[in-house]
């Protein structure tokens, strides 16, 4: 298979994307006390810009300081807007052709109780108070405001995080049987999402700004999204496919498919040594979504492949095959882009043999779990030393 399958341009929301590689959002946990990007944050994204992916996503950016799961999680606000403008300017100086998008997030029940404020969509273990409808409307407006700020900062688009057990995911889960207009039926569980997208579209008016969504097509938890019925134990794509159809109808320009949950299901989210076959689950879910919509679809879960039980074939084999078979439009890189930001450039230049290959050793994830700055502990001395330091 040649590299042409990766180097073909594609249109996303009316903008041209020069190739099929996407840097997925991955948290760096290195912003300042207000949530503004620091020199380290800027360096990470300039490296990604130079790395040559068609689209780079900025990691989960909190819509408020209360919405953080990480102590140094970036936050977009009036106060930090100028710093985000600088970040975007530096990114574009390094690569004027790539799209730079931002992921917007509220960590919901996973917000840290020490430095932020966990909130619950419905009663679950550990829930102190469940959000009222008025409070939900306030969070919806918070997302809409951040989308406008992201457009003002110069990003090409914003992705709403409805994945991995964070607030958006809690809304759409069948477990959300709260009474009233935000729970129980599919229409009610997706209302928070619809209201954000519709409100943002109105506020953006004619501005050329892409809206997208990242979601877990199967989160694998009891009563989680992508299960059969309210309490099914079997994967079922009925609701996920209705959800992406809704996103397309509302005017979203891109969909990013993920799986699993940070609330107890990391093996599905991050296929690793113990579960190499998990890559195939991602391919299957993504292919189903791809066949249900006309807007571009990003797939994930590729980093494990280099060291998987799928012997004899590397990331490029499966990525190229999925592209040419029509199972996906864009290849998302999570850990492989942390290990080597230059991955897309090296592949497109025919130098794949020089890639610093991610071994899915989980070092970066452990830094995140320890609330430290996040990077590759295998290839980068700063993060290697950080991983040895006491918590
Ligand atoms: C350290 C780390 C941070 C992550 N941060 C985010 C994030 O901010 N938002 C998100 O949607 N996914 C996040 N993810 C998940 C990745 O985007 C991706 O879905 C996952 O790593 C699987 O892809 P891979 O096999 O290429 O690594 C993170 C993953 C890791 C390892
Ligand atoms: S620390 Fe390990 S899992 Fe993370 S990017 Fe580096 S090699 Fe991959």
């Amino acid at each position: 298979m040649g590299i042409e399958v990766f180097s073909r341009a594609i249109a996303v929301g009316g903008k041209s994307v020069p190739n099929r590689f996407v840097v997925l959002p991955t948290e760096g946990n290195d912003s300042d006390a207000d949530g503004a990007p620091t020199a380290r944050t800027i360096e990470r994204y300039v490296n990604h810009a130079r790395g040559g992916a068609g689209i780079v996503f900025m990691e989960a950016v909190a819509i408020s300081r209360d919405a953080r799961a990480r102590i140094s999680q970036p936050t977009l606000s009036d106060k930090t807007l100028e710093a985000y403008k600088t970040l975007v300017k530096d990114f574009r100086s390094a690569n004027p052709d790539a799209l730079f998008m931002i992921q917007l997030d509220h960590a919901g029940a996973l917000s840290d109780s020490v430095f932020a404020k966990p909130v619950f969509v419905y009663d679950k273990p550990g829930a102190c108070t469940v959000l009222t409808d008025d409070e939900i409307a306030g969070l919806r407006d918070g997302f809409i405001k951040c989308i406008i700020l992201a457009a003002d900062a110069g990003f090409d688009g914003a992705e709403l995080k409805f994945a991995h057990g964070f607030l958006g995911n809690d809304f759409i889960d069948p477990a959300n049987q709260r009474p009233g207009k935000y729970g129980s039926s599919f229409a009610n569980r997706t209302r928070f999402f619809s209201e954000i997208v519709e409100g943002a579209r109105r506020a953006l008016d004619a501005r050329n700004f892409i809206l997208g969504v990242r979601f877990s097509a199967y989160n694998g938890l009891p009563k989680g999204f992508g299960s059969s019925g309210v309490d099914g134990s079997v994967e079922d794509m009925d609701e996920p496919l209705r959800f992406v159809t809704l996103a397309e109808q509302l005017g979203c320009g891109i969909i990013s498919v993920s799986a699993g949950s940070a609330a107890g299901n990391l093996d599905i989210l991050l296929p690793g040594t113990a579960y190499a076959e998990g890559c195939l689950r991602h391919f299957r879910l993504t292919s189903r979504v791809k066949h249900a919509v006309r807007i571009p679809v990003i797939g994930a879960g590729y980093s494990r492949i280099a060291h998987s039980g799928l012997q004899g074939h590397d990331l490029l084999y499966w990525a190229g095959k999925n592209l040419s078979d029509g199972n996906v439009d864009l290849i998302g890189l999570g850990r492989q882009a942390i290990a080597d930001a230059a991955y897309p450039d090296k592949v497109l230049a025919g130098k794949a043999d020089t890639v610093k290959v991610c071994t899915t050793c989980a070092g970066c994830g452990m830094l995140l779990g320890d609330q430290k700055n996040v990077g590759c502990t295998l290839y980068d001395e700063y993060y290697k030393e950080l991983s040895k330091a006491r918590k």
Side-chain angles (χ1 to χ4, degrees):
M1 192 177 319
I3 55 149
E4 306 74 44
V5 71
F6 302 107
S7 59
R8 244 180 280 139
I10 181 171
V12 174
K15 302 190 185 203
S16 178
V17 175
N19 62 63
R20 301 306 178 101
F21 289 115
V22 171
V23 174
L24 293 171
T26 57
E27 295 182 76
N29 194 31
D30 55 15
S31 69
D32 74 11
D34 293 321
T38 58
R40 180 168 297 283
T41 322
I42 292 181
E43 185 187 353
R44 277 194 297 118
Y45 286 103
V46 166
N47 282 339
H48 283 312
R50 292 199 183 113
I55 306 177
V56 174
F57 277 90
M58 184 170 185
E59 68 211 74
V61 173
I63 63 157
S64 74
R65 296 307 273 160
D66 279 346
R68 282 173 299 153
R70 321 292 172 203
I71 191 154
S72 300
Q73 189 166 346
T75 305
L76 185 53
S77 63
D78 290 324
K79 196 170 180 184
T80 58
L81 177 61
E82 288 309 311
Y84 282 81
K85 286 185 183 170
T86 304
L87 169 70
V88 174
K89 185 168 70 55
D90 289 357
F91 181 96
R92 299 218 188 279
S93 304
N95 184 343
D97 300 325
L99 299 196
F100 192 21
M101 294 186 59
I102 186 171
Q103 183 181 67
L104 295 174
D105 180 40
H106 190 305
L110 300 177
S111 303
D112 194 286
S113 58
V114 175
F115 52 78
K117 189 173 165 227
V119 293
F120 298 86
V121 175
Y122 55 88
D123 258 322
K124 57 162 95 173
C128 326
T129 46
V130 171
L131 289 163
T132 63
D133 282 4
D134 282 351
E135 286 167 335
I136 290 173
L139 295 177
R140 172 201 64 204
D141 294 345
F143 268 100
I144 295 171
K145 174 165 184 177
C146 275
I147 290 169
I148 304 308
L149 287 174
D152 292 346
F155 286 98
D156 291 291
E159 168 182 89
L160 302 173
K161 188 169 186 180
F162 273 62
H164 307 160
F166 295 93
L167 183 77
N169 197 160
D170 270 356
F171 271 101
I172 57 176
D173 275 343
N176 170 19
Q177 292 294 309
R178 63 176 284 139
K181 60 181 185 172
Y182 290 106
S184 193
S185 68
F186 179 79
N188 284 350
R189 282 183 279 123
T190 54
R191 189 180 306 281
F192 184 63
F193 172 72
S194 304
E195 288 185 351
I196 295 172
V197 178
E198 285 168 346
R201 271 280 152 247
R202 268 195 304 276
L204 286 164
D205 197 14
R207 290 170 82 168
N208 186 11
F209 189 77
I210 304 162
L211 292 180
V213 64
R214 187 161 207 224
F215 81 117
S216 294
Y218 174 71
N219 82 9
L221 293 174
K223 304 182 187 181
F225 203 57
S227 306
S228 56
V230 173
D231 202 10
S233 58
V234 177
E235 193 180 294
D236 184 327
M237 287 300 279
D238 177 52
E239 289 204 340
L241 297 187
R242 285 164 69 191
F243 182 62
V244 293
T245 306
L246 174 70
E248 182 172 41
Q249 283 165 353
L250 290 170
C252 284
I254 193 160
I255 287 177
S256 186
V257 182
S258 190
S261 170
N265 228 326
L266 281 172
D267 279 350
I268 295 180
L269 207 171
L270 305 158
T273 351
Y275 178 47
E277 189 265 351
C279 310
L280 304 179
R281 180 196 287 276
H282 278 265
F283 300 169
R284 180 175 70 238
L285 297 171
T286 306
S287 173
R288 294 290 308 276
V289 171
K290 162 74 187 146
H291 286 95
V293 293
R294 279 156 304 178
I295 51 179
V297 171
I298 306 168
Y302 286 89
S303 295
R304 180 62 205 154
I305 295 172
H307 291 263
S308 70
L310 316 171
Q311 280 101 346
H313 300 303
D314 65 3
L315 188 163
L316 286 179
Y317 171 83
W318 290 103
K321 179 130 189 65
N322 279 334
L323 283 170
S324 52
D325 287 357
N327 292 324
V328 72
D329 296 297
L330 290 145
I331 303 301
L333 303 167
R335 290 160 291 178
Q336 182 55 67
I338 297 177
D340 192 348
Y343 182 90
D345 213 23
K346 287 177 177 174
V347 169
L348 295 171
K351 295 180 180 160
D353 55 331
T354 65
V355 164
K356 289 183 272 181
V357 177
C358 171
T359 60
T360 64
C361 70
C364 49
M366 281 190 253
L367 288 176
L368 187 60
D370 287 346
Q371 295 284 357
K372 295 175 178 172
N373 293 170
V374 180
C376 182
T377 58
L378 185 62
Y379 297 114
D380 188 307
E381 286 305 317
Y382 170 75
Y383 298 106
K384 194 183 284 184
E385 287 308 310
L386 207 55
S387 69
K388 292 181 198 155
R390 283 174 63 85
K391 216 177 136 183

